[in-house]
């Protein structure tokens, strides 16, 4: 029988069932994540939570449920590298791909004090994970620390939100009650006049979404691990690419829809909250339930974890200087993600272009990014120093 599915000189045959499992797993994750987001988001709104808090907590946590399902299942199935690669790859994809693609649709303006406080928290947790993994593993104690940090994060976020709501601040009323309330419990954007869904239907959507996520996670882990074995590549690489992109699709869909509705704070909150949840819950719980913890590959320590930290630091100018993420900046972020994926593929295949590509990334792309961030921060800080005079001038003109 001819090897019709041979790939290159390796002559690798990937069964049809494996491919179908991979495609079906990705599809179930997307559908399950959408169902879970709709149900949980509607329930949260009926409890009176603001749009921003919904984005930072409920929406981000539910869109990160695929990462949790995939990573825990991978760890219990004996593929810890897939679990680490999934979290690291998803966090990188959330910022470069999801945030960048969202900015391509509508420029993102981040003015919320809450988001500006949460972005440094995300960057700090990313640095903490890197430091914990320097010994080559994440044990149960370290996992418990990450999980406890997530609990503190959620508690503080909710308490601050309630305190501001009790103080009668105008921003949640004006910014968060316009479109979200009209969409609460409906089936999509632009349906403010539609009847709200019953409470039982919201609960059913949450249960259905969770079930689809579990089923999709099992299929995705099976397909991805089979492909890794057949191609002779590491499960870390598969987790950083195929699985990471697949489990980031709910964040991508949610953020794009949010910016199209004018919910820019929710879009950024979804991304920041998802990354915090990935570190605290996904890595934390996976390390706790794994019998021997999570082994962190040396390749991840040398390249992928530092990249995750660097990508998290990209959002710090937004947190510190109230920057807008313009369309060209979104295109730059997406371009960086394409370059990152290209590097992973070139490195895995040991292509001859690995040397020149690495030199270009090390001596051109990374320095250009650093110069860009520093110049933007200096420009914004100078602008803020002259903000008093400029603000009074703009007021007179208005």
């Amino acid at each position: 029988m001819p090897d019709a599915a041979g790939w290159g000189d390796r002559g690798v045959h990937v069964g049809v069932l494996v491919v179908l499992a991979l495609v079906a797993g990705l599809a179930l994750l997307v559908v399950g994540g959408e169902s879970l987001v709709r149900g949980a988001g509607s329930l949260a709104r009926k409890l009176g939570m603001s749009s921003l808090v919904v984005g930072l907590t409920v929406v981000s946590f539910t869109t990160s449920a695929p990462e949790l399902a995939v990573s825990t299942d991978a760890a219990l199935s004996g593929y810890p590298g897939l679990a680490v690669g999934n979290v690291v790859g998803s966090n990188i994809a959330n910022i470069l791909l999801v945030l960048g693609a969202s900015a391509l649709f509508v420029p993102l303006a981040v003015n919320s004090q809450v988001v500006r406080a949460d972005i440094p928290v995300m960057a700090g947790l990313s640095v903490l994970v890197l430091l914990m993994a320097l010994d080559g593993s994440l044990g149960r104690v370290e996992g418990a620390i990450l999980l406890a940090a997530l609990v503190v994060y959620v508690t503080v976020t909710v308490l601050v939100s309630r305190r501001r709501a009790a103080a009668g601040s105008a921003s949640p009323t004006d910014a968060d009650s316009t479109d979200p309330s009209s969409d609460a419990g409906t089936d999509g954007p632009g349906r403010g006049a539609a009847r709200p869904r019953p409470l039982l239907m919201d609960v059913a959507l949450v249960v259905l979404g969770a079930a689809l996520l579990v089923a999709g996670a099992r299929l995705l882990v099976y397909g991805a691990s089979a492909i890794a074995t057949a191609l002779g590549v590491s499960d870390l690489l598969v987790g950083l690419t195929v699985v990471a992109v697949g489990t980031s699709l709910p964040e991508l869909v949610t953020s794009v829809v949010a910016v199209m509705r004018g919910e820019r704070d929710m879009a950024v909150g979804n991304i920041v909250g998802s990354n915090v949840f990935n570190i605290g819950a996904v890595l934390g719980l996976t390390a706790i339930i794994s019998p021997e913890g999570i082994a962190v590959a040396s390749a991840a320590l040398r390249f992928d974890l530092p990249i995750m930290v660097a990508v998290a630091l990209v959002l710090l100018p937004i947190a510190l200087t109230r920057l807008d993420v313009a369309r060209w900046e979104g295109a730059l972020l997406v371009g960086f993600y394409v370059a990152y994926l290209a590097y992973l593929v070139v490195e895995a295949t040991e292509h001859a272009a690995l040397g020149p590509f690495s030199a270009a990334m090390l001596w051109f792309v990374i320095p250009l990014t650093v110069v860009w961030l520093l110049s933007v921060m200096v420009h914004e800080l100078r602008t803020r120093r002259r903000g008093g005079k400029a603000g009074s001038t703009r007021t007179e003109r208005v």
Side-chain angles (χ1 to χ4, degrees):
M1 188 177 202
D3 188 6
W7 289 359
D9 296 333
R10 295 175 182 264
V12 179
H13 177 75
V14 179
V16 177
L17 291 179
V18 173
V19 177
L20 289 178
L22 188 63
V23 174
L26 289 173
L28 289 177
L29 285 175
V30 174
V31 176
E34 175 69 14
S35 175
L36 195 57
V37 166
R38 289 182 181 273
S42 179
L43 287 174
R45 297 191 191 285
K46 289 175 181 176
L47 295 176
M49 297 177 65
S50 68
S51 173
L52 181 61
V53 175
V54 170
L56 285 168
T57 55
V58 178
V59 175
S60 62
F61 291 0
T62 51
T63 54
S64 292
E67 284 91 340
L68 178 59
V70 168
S71 295
T72 54
D73 191 79
L76 294 176
S77 301
Y79 296 95
L82 186 62
V84 175
N86 178 33
V87 171
V88 175
S90 294
N91 279 18
I92 295 173
N94 283 344
I95 296 177
L96 296 183
L97 177 62
V98 178
L99 182 66
S102 300
L104 288 177
F105 283 88
V106 178
L108 300 179
V110 184
N111 298 317
S112 171
Q113 295 290 333
V114 177
V115 174
R116 293 173 62 201
D118 288 315
I119 294 174
V121 170
M122 179 197 66
L125 285 177
S126 300
V127 174
L128 179 61
V129 170
L130 176 61
L131 295 177
M132 287 181 171
L134 289 178
D135 61 352
S137 65
L138 292 174
R140 290 182 173 176
V141 175
E142 294 162 324
I145 294 175
L146 294 176
L147 185 60
L150 175 66
V151 173
V152 173
Y153 164 78
V154 175
T155 303
V156 172
T157 300
V158 174
L159 290 178
V160 170
S161 175
R162 290 184 175 180
R163 183 176 303 173
R164 291 185 177 182
S169 59
S171 55
T173 303
D174 296 335
D176 294 337
S177 300
T178 303
D179 291 339
S181 60
S182 61
D183 275 342
T186 62
D187 291 331
R191 299 186 183 182
R195 292 183 179 179
R197 285 193 300 264
L199 180 63
L200 289 179
M201 184 173 292
D202 289 332
V203 176
L205 285 175
V206 172
V207 175
L208 176 63
L212 292 178
L213 287 174
V214 172
R218 296 194 65 86
L219 289 174
L220 190 62
V221 169
Y222 167 75
S225 59
I227 290 177
T229 303
L231 295 178
V233 299
S234 65
D235 51 358
L236 174 64
L237 176 62
V238 177
L240 287 168
T241 54
V242 178
V243 180
V245 173
T247 54
S248 292
L249 288 177
E251 284 91 342
L252 178 59
V253 174
T254 302
S255 296
V256 170
V257 171
V259 298
M260 296 301 291
R261 292 177 178 176
E263 298 284 348
R264 301 182 183 184
D265 275 351
M266 176 177 282
V268 179
N270 175 34
I271 295 168
V272 174
S274 295
N275 282 15
V276 173
F277 184 84
N278 285 344
I279 295 174
V282 179
L283 271 184
L285 286 176
T286 304
I288 292 174
I289 67 175
S290 298
E292 300 179 357
I294 305 176
V296 181
S298 58
L301 283 173
R302 290 195 311 266
F303 184 74
D304 301 297
L305 279 170
I307 290 294
M308 183 186 73
V309 173
V311 166
L313 295 176
V314 167
L315 290 184
L316 278 179
I318 297 177
L320 297 175
T321 58
R322 292 192 176 193
L323 298 180
D324 291 339
V325 183
R327 283 190 173 93
W328 72 268
E329 292 170 326
L332 186 62
L333 292 177
V334 174
F336 284 160
Y337 187 68
V338 173
Y340 170 72
L341 291 182
Y343 178 84
L344 293 179
V345 174
V346 170
E347 183 185 36
T349 56
E350 298 180 355
H351 196 273
L354 178 60
F357 191 91
S358 301
M361 292 288 290
L362 181 62
W363 299 109
F364 177 73
V365 177
I366 296 178
L368 178 63
T369 304
V370 173
V371 172
W372 167 58
L373 292 176
L374 291 178
S375 62
V376 168
M377 289 183 65
V378 171
H379 172 73
E380 289 296 326
L381 289 175
R382 288 179 177 177
T383 303
R384 293 178 69 182
R385 287 180 180 178
R386 291 176 276 184
K389 296 181 180 181
S392 59
T393 304
R394 284 193 297 268
T395 303
E396 294 176 358
R397 291 179 180 178
V398 174

